[in-house]
Amino acid sequence: MNEAKKAADYRSELKPIWCPGCGDFGFLNAMYKALEELQLDPANTVVCSGIGCSSRISGYVKAYSFNGIHGRVLPFASGVKMSRPETTVIAVGGDGDGFSIGAGHIGHAARKNINITYVVLDNNIYGLTKGQASPTTPLGVRTKTTYYGNMGTTFNPVRMLIAYKASFVARTFSGDPKHIQKILVEAVRHPGFAFIEVLSPCVTFRGQDQYKILRERVRYLDESYNPENEVEAFDIANDENMLALGVIYKKIRPTYDEIIQQNVISKAKAASNGVAKIDKLLEQFQP
Amino acid sequence: MSKVLIKGNEAVVRGALLAGCKNFFGYPITPASEIAEAAAYYFPLLGGTFLQAESEIGAINMVYGAASSPFRCMTASSSPGISLKMEGISYIAGAELPCVIIDIMRGGPGLGNIAPEQADYNQIVKGGGHGNYRLITLAPNSAQEMCDLTMLAFELSDKYRNPAVVLADGIIGQMMEPVEFPEPVQVIPERPWALKGSADSHNLVCSIELEPDRLEEHNRKLQEKYAGISRQEIRCETIHCEDAEHIFIGYGVVSRILHSVVESLRAEGIKAGLLRPITLFPFPAPQIEHFAASKKLRSFFVCELSAGQMVDDVRLAVNGRKPVHLHTRMGGNVPSVKEIVETFKASL
């Protein structure tokens, strides 16, 4: 434990089986490096995922890994964090897992400010099931379930997360692993619910030109940008032509754990002159 | 500790705390809400967690996450909410994680109503989710047992690394009775596999096995575990059964009505007995088989607050050796002693 860990120490014995050229490789390599930079103890690091191509990541990181149910990564990441607050919990999933079947959970993990990092590797398609439309598939795009062109407009995840009052909202890009590493380190260090959208091309079902298209559509937020201004953050999120990369919104507020500590446990200890005792407490409840 | 007059639903929460449960994830639903309400008060005070999830699906997945920690965890709901949890329950059983689920059954199908029923028997005991899994199922018939069987559910769940369900009808959840609370559990079994820092392990919690032979092997291992539970953990109560010519079978609130039926028939000179399953899985089939083989016994009489679900298991155990009669009420109706006695006499 005393020796410094290297990125390779966070590699599990499983080899990724993503398609060659998948954007998720860029994120995974950056994640190993971020874990090295953070020097996280694998035994107290939890990588959770649901189901999808990107959700395979929990198997590829040497940590305590959790491969759960499609769309439910945030509830079980919350369950782990509530039960073991001292662990670092990183939830990873895709746009189908997070914004379609699991969309109902995001706002609640965000508003409760549960101290976890949630990374969505957004490839605008269902990859594992081989190419159906997802909530971020662009309008008009033809997929295996949108023969006549996608008829719905796309989710704007960054705008959605700012609206949900997530305390940290960032966007990064698989084509720039150094940037991913920087953002992921900052997100893990952020005290509260941190959301990262990673633009992570699916070259198999969205085309080989996705990297080129995205490179022309991204821009970096400069140093002078203040992410604490919610109105400005919305303006940046609203620009769907040029996608801003960086920390778009950030607001420090108490986490769910901290609120429990402040509102409940300290009072219980004061009332019982030390550690709360079960038999004394059992007499108190009046519904 | 002296006796306290308390609702069955609150007795569950106290039982859970006495069993050392640390984490509760819930969602409001009548007639189970008092469980979440009491948990919201007690759990944080004892250094644990209460979290009101965004949905039943959220709650069971929080349980899935927390069940991989060294601490005991639970959720509670009522019939439609339990239906929503089914996918998660199948995954937890597949991943072999311990947790306790409380089901305070109400009327169905669909929205039904909030009155008591026992129509979740099939979805809990037979497995409402996908795959070959079983849930340890305990059926209390008093507020006292709501506490005691919740504690037992935690014990069995840890022992077998399997979800355990306390299956109670709405009456048992809502009824107030004096309860004597046992001493808190002092030692909670170690969970060497749990998330607590094992220096160089790559722990992966999942329920996936892509290779058919390995998944079949996993299934066979699960079936062996369930067979062991069936051999070891049957609990049932019998009253006046040894010389009985007619045995009444029912669980939950029905067993209390049937007890009165049996006593009233005995007063008339009819040799009636009561067999009350306390565990629904494992089902007390050997006990029923024993009586079915008896020359004295003439018939079984099953009563349920459903269209007749447990009766299938009774019939399998009796295996045609004796007649099995069935009396059912649904929609929140509960049979009277008089009504059951009349139906019984008509069956003779």
Side-chain angles (χ1 to χ4, degrees):
Chain A
M1 250 344 82
N2 297 331
E3 275 175 52
K5 294 218 170 278
K6 298 231 159 42
D9 296 332
Y10 295 99
R11 263 177 223 278
S12 81
E13 67 281 9
L14 291 174
K15 290 268 172 294
I17 55 166
W18 293 316
C19 306
C22 176
D24 295 356
F25 283 107
F27 173 77
L28 180 60
N29 289 326
M31 184 172 178
Y32 292 141
K33 288 194 175 140
L35 293 171
E36 176 189 340
E37 188 179 337
L38 291 159
Q39 282 297 301
L40 291 178
D41 172 7
N44 282 307
T45 303
V46 187
V47 181
C48 303
S49 63
I51 305 294
C53 287
S54 49
S55 290
R56 302 191 64 87
I57 272 184
S58 54
Y60 303 149
V61 180
K62 189 166 179 177
Y64 196 95
S65 298
F66 212 98
N67 180 211
I69 304 181
H70 190 34
R72 313 302 168 208
V73 65
L74 288 176
F76 53 70
S78 305
V80 169
K81 188 68 184 174
M82 292 293 103
S83 193
R84 300 291 281 167
E86 69 280 21
T87 55
T88 302
V89 179
I90 303 171
V92 186
D95 40 303
D97 191 77
F99 305 140
S100 191
I101 191 167
H105 302 297
I106 298 176
H108 302 282
R111 78 184 170 84
K112 286 172 181 158
N113 205 23
I114 292 167
N115 190 5
I116 58 178
T117 301
Y118 179 38
V119 182
V120 173
L121 301 180
D122 188 355
N123 62 3
N124 311 149
I125 196 88
Y126 281 83
L128 192 70
T129 49
K130 303 185 190 71
Q132 302 82 10
S134 90
T136 55
T137 300
L139 185 68
V141 166
R142 190 167 183 267
T143 73
K144 286 178 180 169
T145 48
T146 53
Y147 289 101
Y148 314 108
N150 184 21
M151 292 170 194
T153 56
T154 58
F155 261 30
N156 180 328
V158 167
R159 190 167 66 182
M160 180 167 88
L161 268 290
I162 299 170
Y164 279 147
K165 298 191 184 295
S167 59
F168 181 105
V169 183
R171 191 195 279 131
T172 181
F173 172 43
S174 280
D176 187 351
K178 283 219 167 74
H179 189 257
I180 296 177
Q181 181 183 340
K182 179 173 162 277
I183 296 290
L184 185 56
V185 166
E186 198 176 335
V188 170
R189 286 185 177 145
H190 170 76
F193 184 79
F195 170 80
I196 305 172
E197 181 191 19
V198 183
L199 307 173
S200 183
C202 174
V203 294
T204 304
F205 297 109
R206 292 279 292 120
Q208 295 288 341
D209 54 354
Q210 282 296 302
Y211 277 101
K212 187 170 166 284
I213 292 168
L214 275 173
R215 270 186 214 290
E216 287 163 7
R217 277 186 61 203
V218 296
R219 69 178 178 95
Y220 292 90
L221 290 169
D222 60 38
E223 294 292 317
S224 65
Y225 174 70
N226 172 19
E228 293 186 11
N229 184 329
E230 194 176 308
V231 175
E232 218 172 317
F234 268 120
D235 283 344
I236 286 169
N238 283 338
D239 186 351
E240 294 178 1
N241 295 315
M242 283 306 286
L243 302 169
L245 304 183
V247 179
I248 296 168
Y249 179 68
K250 188 161 101 172
K251 185 116 191 169
I252 303 285
R253 60 187 170 88
T255 65
Y256 195 82
D257 259 8
E258 285 166 352
I259 292 171
I260 289 179
Q261 285 294 335
Q262 285 160 13
N263 290 10
V264 187
I265 295 172
S266 55
K267 282 178 194 160
K269 282 185 179 166
S272 62
N273 235 345
V275 181
K277 287 275 188 327
I278 185 166
D279 42 357
K280 287 212 175 107
L281 279 172
L282 289 182
E283 309 298 326
Q284 291 178 11
F285 182 55
Q286 295 297 328
Chain B
M1 222 180 273
S2 58
K3 286 198 174 188
V4 187
L5 184 67
I6 193 171
K7 263 192 183 186
N9 280 345
E10 284 169 43
V12 162
V13 176
R14 294 196 185 198
L17 292 166
L18 293 168
C21 180
K22 286 275 181 238
N23 299 298
F24 186 103
F25 304 97
Y27 188 81
I29 182 167
T30 309
S33 295
E34 294 85 358
I35 303 177
E37 288 163 9
Y41 177 81
Y42 285 124
F43 274 68
L45 290 177
L46 290 161
T49 296
F50 166 83
L51 200 150
Q52 179 175 331
E54 57 274 21
S55 63
E56 300 289 2
I57 298 168
I60 194 68
N61 280 283
M62 289 169 186
V63 165
Y64 190 8
S68 62
S69 86
F71 306 120
R72 290 179 163 175
C73 66
M74 70 184 297
T75 185
S77 188
S78 176
S79 311
I82 296 289
S83 304
L84 276 170
K85 291 183 195 292
M86 277 302 165
E87 184 195 32
I89 291 171
S90 165
Y91 276 68
I92 297 170
E96 292 191 87
L97 294 174
C99 66
V100 169
I101 300 154
I102 314 290
D103 180 3
I104 309 298
M105 291 181 280
R106 63 184 242 185
L111 194 54
N113 63 22
I114 57 170
E117 253 194 19
Q118 295 178 325
D120 286 10
Y121 185 91
N122 282 346
Q123 81 161 346
I124 295 295
V125 178
K126 303 296 179 183
H130 59 288
N132 304 296
Y133 73 89
R134 303 304 297 262
L135 301 171
I136 297 165
T137 309
L138 309 176
N141 79 344
S142 64
Q144 181 68 54
E145 280 196 350
M146 288 291 263
C147 169
D148 298 348
L149 294 187
T150 299
M151 294 179 79
L152 178 64
F154 278 105
E155 185 190 321
L156 296 178
S157 173
D158 260 324
K159 184 173 172 188
Y160 293 101
R161 280 187 67 175
N162 203 72
V165 179
V166 175
L167 187 67
D169 48 79
I171 294 181
I172 299 298
Q174 292 295 323
M175 189 168 62
M176 287 185 91
E177 283 186 307
V179 176
E180 191 168 355
F181 291 97
E183 290 297 308
V185 172
Q186 297 300 334
V187 181
I188 287 160
E190 282 282 307
R191 294 178 172 182
W193 45 269
L195 169 57
K196 60 174 179 181
S198 46
D200 56 359
S201 67
H202 169 65
N203 285 321
L204 178 62
V205 171
C206 67
S207 58
I208 187 172
E209 283 293 355
L210 290 176
E211 217 280 303
D213 286 344
R214 286 184 59 180
L215 183 56
E216 187 175 40
E217 193 190 325
H218 177 59
N219 265 286
R220 296 220 184 276
K221 199 186 94 193
L222 288 177
Q223 293 305 312
E224 273 172 36
K225 176 168 88 173
Y226 304 144
I229 294 171
S230 296
R231 284 190 299 273
Q232 301 289 325
E233 305 297 349
I234 291 173
R235 286 160 176 81
C236 81
E237 183 186 14
T238 52
I239 297 170
H240 304 317
C241 279
E242 283 313 319
D243 68 339
E245 293 178 359
H246 305 280
I247 289 183
F248 289 77
I249 304 178
Y251 66 99
V253 71
V254 172
S255 67
R256 297 172 65 147
I257 302 165
L258 290 180
H259 190 183
S260 301
V261 167
V262 165
E263 295 300 348
S264 108
L265 291 174
R266 285 261 165 189
E268 289 182 40
I270 297 171
K271 287 185 176 170
L274 170 68
L275 189 148
R276 168 171 82 98
I278 297 171
T279 53
L280 297 175
F281 176 76
F283 192 70
Q287 286 74 4
I288 293 173
E289 280 166 27
H290 163 78
F291 293 116
S294 149
K295 286 206 173 102
K296 280 175 280 184
L297 193 96
R298 290 167 56 196
S299 75
F300 290 96
F301 192 101
V302 176
C303 184
E304 290 185 71
L305 304 185
S306 75
Q309 299 188 9
M310 181 188 68
V311 70
D312 291 347
D313 283 326
V314 174
R315 286 189 175 126
L316 280 171
V318 172
N319 201 14
R321 281 173 288 199
K322 297 282 155 56
V324 177
H325 302 290
L326 174 67
H327 184 72
T328 65
R329 294 304 304 266
M330 286 167 275
N333 287 320
V334 178
S336 65
V337 172
K338 184 166 167 278
E339 159 188 344
I340 297 173
V341 167
E342 280 166 10
T343 319
F344 165 73
K345 285 184 175 168
S347 78
L348 290 174

